[in-house]
Amino acid sequence: MVAKRNRGKRFIAWAALAGVIGGAVFLATAELFALLFARGASPILAVGGFVIDIVPQPFKEFAIATFGEYDKIVLLAGLGLAVVIASAIAGVLQLVRPPLGVVALVIAGVLSTAAIVTRSGVTPLAFLPPVLGTIAGSVLLVVLVRRLRAWRASASAAVENHREEEDAQVDLVVDTPGAPKELNRRRFFVLAAIAGASAVVVGITARTVSMAVSSVETIRKALKLPAPRTTVKVPEGAELDVPGLSELFTPNDDFYRVDTALTVPTIDPETWRLVIDGMVDQRVEMSFQDILDMGVDEYAITLTCVSNEVGGELVGNAMWLGVPLRDVLRKAGVKSGADMVLSRSVDGYTASTPLAALVDDELDAILAVGMNGEPLPLEHGFPVRMVVPGLYGYVSATKWLTELKVTTFADDEAYWTPRGYSAEAPIKFSSRLDTPSIGEAVSAGRIPIAGVAWAQTVGIERVEVRIDEGEWMPATLSTPINDDTWVQWFMEWDATPGTHYVAVRAVNKNGDLQIEERAPIAPNGSSGWQRSLIRVS
């Protein structure tokens, strides 16, 4: 009885393996035909994008706060694990209750097909990869499980026949090479090995080739942007020399990335087009060269994400190269009554930007093509993105831009608005302590306390620091580049042994004091003074 139970568990395990291989063949076949017919029709990426769209706001905030820029890697890993588990269950079902395993695969195929065909910019043949993948995976699962059943039947028959002859020699007879059981087992493993290896090779190769075919990194590196007509003068004293302090300009590789794209869109600037329509006098379509032909200028602008917690790192400063959005909109002619521009990314993401922020002659809202002396990195919006000072990124900094629709807040809403965020989101000015870092033990004596502060479009007037419950003391500011960039600040502190709380707050050039009360990031950005615990030894 025990031996029979162990054999049953063994075949359940092999059925689970058959299911995993069937799932792998499903995905590999889909990737192969996605490469041939529709490179955006990868089931795993489509489902991942769908998950990003439907996940409730608190879970999005948790993912960003916990994993930062690695949130999408974690999501892909989670989806991969879910596929393995679901495929294993399908294999077991196919063994014990056929055809439930195939039904499970078909349901997965239907769901992935729905996720693909409902994405923005879908092509007519986008349904083919998941459909063909479902067929291939289902057929393989049926064949594998049939061979597994034949193996199980021959093993049981061998055991029963030998029991009648000599109970004590069960294992010897069952494992005799050349027995029917051995033949069926070999057939199962040969097919499983071939199918599994093929799925891995085909899947990885198809995904790699797809990325290589669609990749524009080589084009981006070879692209020579025109020299700017005007440049930003960085004044002397704009950057302080304090160890641990954020650089004046955040390197591209370190610049925060928060978006809804599961994989970075790759767009050839030769085929890229920007459409301006909606409440305009005439619909305008511009190429990348049209943007460059307008003449580009340099702009120093700090960007802030609405998901940035008090003291967080989702803020960065860069030197951008671009053209004024007001000049681009002027080509189409904005009709009266419009109050919003709905910008759209190639992946379907939308942002609602107040029209006033884009046409104001005093604001440097731009279409950016360059970042810190090079074409935009792919993950930061290549070839063209929006950069609007004074507004959180989710309503203003659309990457991989493809459309500007002039409209009204009453008629249209953007991606984040129905998810609980404000339609308009001016940045709450703030300050951050960079050094000493939280939890870092420092030695007693004279040490620098330093950080950054920002109040886009207004500017920082002063930063103040308080140790424990003492008096607020003014910090020394760097020379600001302009009112749209952050400033660095520092002060010297005679640190005494023990545990101390260091608080920082800012005052903008309008005389407003940074908000003390803590507020969550939703619906329109966090607030509060940063208070950090510093240990002095």
Side-chain angles (χ1 to χ4, degrees):
M1 181 64 71
V2 174
K4 184 175 181 181
R5 187 181 301 115
N6 289 337
R7 286 197 303 273
K9 290 181 179 178
R10 180 179 60 182
F11 285 109
I12 289 293
W14 293 132
L17 175 64
V20 171
I21 294 174
V25 168
F26 166 31
L27 293 178
T29 303
E31 289 290 348
L32 175 61
F33 284 98
L35 173 63
L36 298 176
F37 299 113
R39 287 198 291 269
S42 168
I44 196 76
L45 298 183
V47 172
F50 176 74
V51 170
I52 290 175
D53 288 346
I54 66 170
V55 165
Q57 166 201 326
F59 289 98
K60 292 178 185 284
E61 295 171 3
F62 171 79
I64 293 173
T66 305
F67 305 113
E69 63 184 37
Y70 301 106
D71 58 340
K72 299 181 179 60
I73 296 176
V74 173
L75 173 59
L76 283 173
L79 285 175
L81 179 61
V83 168
V84 170
I85 294 174
S87 298
I89 293 174
V92 174
L93 288 175
Q94 187 63 22
L95 177 68
V96 299
R97 290 289 179 87
L100 288 185
V102 172
V103 170
L105 272 184
V106 170
I107 291 174
V110 170
L111 293 177
S112 59
T113 302
I116 289 170
V117 301
T118 55
R119 299 299 290 173
S120 175
V122 64
T123 58
L125 296 179
F127 71 94
L128 273 179
V131 170
L132 296 175
T134 301
I135 294 172
S138 299
V139 169
L140 180 72
L141 180 60
V142 169
V143 174
L144 273 175
V145 172
R146 280 181 179 173
R147 293 194 174 183
L148 185 60
R149 277 206 201 90
W151 173 18
R152 183 177 63 177
S154 61
S156 298
V159 170
E160 292 302 324
N161 290 338
H162 187 66
R163 226 177 242 159
E164 295 175 0
E165 299 175 2
E166 189 175 352
D167 291 340
Q169 300 297 321
V170 169
D171 291 337
L172 177 63
V173 174
V174 169
D175 292 332
T176 300
K181 168 203 165 183
E182 183 66 27
L183 180 60
N184 287 321
R185 180 169 62 180
R186 187 181 299 116
R187 287 174 175 172
F188 172 80
F189 281 122
V190 168
L191 179 59
I194 293 174
S198 299
V200 171
V201 172
V202 171
I204 293 177
T205 302
R207 173 54 29 194
T208 302
V209 172
S210 179
M211 292 175 66
V213 169
S214 61
S215 174
V216 295
E217 181 60 27
T218 301
I219 297 174
R220 189 193 79 85
K221 289 181 178 179
L223 181 64
K224 301 297 182 184
L225 295 175
R229 298 175 301 180
T230 61
T231 59
V232 173
K233 179 176 176 55
V234 179
E236 187 175 348
E239 185 160 19
L240 303 176
D241 184 15
V242 179
L245 178 61
S246 298
E247 297 180 55
L248 178 60
F249 291 104
T250 310
N252 291 349
D253 289 342
D254 297 332
F255 208 96
Y256 76 90
R257 178 196 167 197
V258 176
D259 51 58
T260 62
L262 189 58
T263 57
V264 177
T266 50
I267 307 159
D268 187 341
E270 287 293 326
T271 60
W272 176 86
R273 293 293 183 272
L274 173 65
V275 173
I276 304 104
D277 61 4
M279 297 175 65
V280 294
D281 295 331
Q282 61 178 346
R283 180 181 183 275
V284 171
E285 184 172 310
M286 300 183 68
S287 67
F288 184 70
Q289 189 60 48
D290 291 335
I291 299 292
L292 299 183
D293 288 344
M294 293 178 64
V296 296
D297 298 288
E298 270 189 351
Y299 301 87
I301 300 172
T302 295
L303 293 186
T304 310
C305 179
V306 72
S307 297
N308 192 51
E309 299 279 5
V310 173
E313 298 181 348
L314 301 182
V315 56
N317 187 51
M319 186 74 78
W320 307 93
L321 200 66
V323 301
L325 264 159
R326 56 179 172 270
D327 293 346
V328 174
L329 292 173
R330 192 174 292 127
K331 290 179 175 293
V334 176
K335 291 184 177 180
S336 62
D339 62 7
M340 185 259 276
V341 172
L342 189 75
S343 55
R344 186 178 301 275
S345 169
V346 295
D347 68 343
Y349 174 83
T350 53
S352 55
T353 311
L355 178 63
L358 304 183
V359 298
D360 190 333
D361 289 336
E362 302 301 317
L363 292 178
D364 288 330
I366 64 170
L367 290 184
V369 296
M371 181 179 183
N372 289 331
E374 62 179 89
L376 289 172
L378 299 187
E379 63 271 21
H380 290 296
F382 183 81
V384 178
R385 68 171 294 169
M386 292 173 60
V387 174
V388 182
L391 297 176
Y392 283 117
Y394 81 96
V395 299
S396 69
T398 303
K399 295 184 280 192
W400 314 293
L401 183 68
T402 187
E403 181 185 3
L404 296 173
K405 179 183 178 183
V406 181
T407 181
T408 67
F409 283 103
D411 292 335
D412 286 291
E413 62 180 7
Y415 181 91
W416 284 108
T417 306
R419 291 168 171 83
Y421 284 80
S422 300
E424 303 181 56
I427 291 175
K428 298 175 182 178
F429 74 94
S430 190
S431 55
R432 185 182 75 196
L433 175 68
D434 285 346
T435 183
S437 59
I438 298 174
E440 175 188 1
V442 297
S443 300
R446 196 164 184 80
I447 64 169
I449 298 177
V452 291
W454 57 91
Q456 288 98 321
T457 74
V458 177
I460 293 292
E461 178 66 31
R462 68 180 184 274
V463 172
E464 298 173 333
V465 179
R466 182 172 66 184
I467 310 298
D468 298 323
E469 297 303 321
E471 297 294 324
W472 287 97
M473 298 172 287
T476 300
L477 299 185
S478 65
T479 305
I481 298 175
N482 56 42
D483 292 337
D484 292 334
T485 63
W486 64 18
V487 294
Q488 299 172 327
W489 59 266
F490 86 102
M491 63 168 282
E492 296 289 342
W493 174 39
D494 291 318
T496 57
T499 300
H500 302 275
Y501 279 96
V502 177
V504 58
R505 68 184 185 185
V507 177
N508 69 16
K509 289 184 178 179
N510 289 336
D512 303 317
L513 180 65
Q514 179 183 337
I515 300 172
E516 177 182 6
E517 293 76 20
R518 287 289 181 124
I521 62 175
N524 55 12
S526 65
S527 67
W529 297 346
Q530 182 181 357
R531 294 179 175 88
S532 299
L533 181 67
I534 307 296
R535 292 185 292 110
V536 181
S537 59

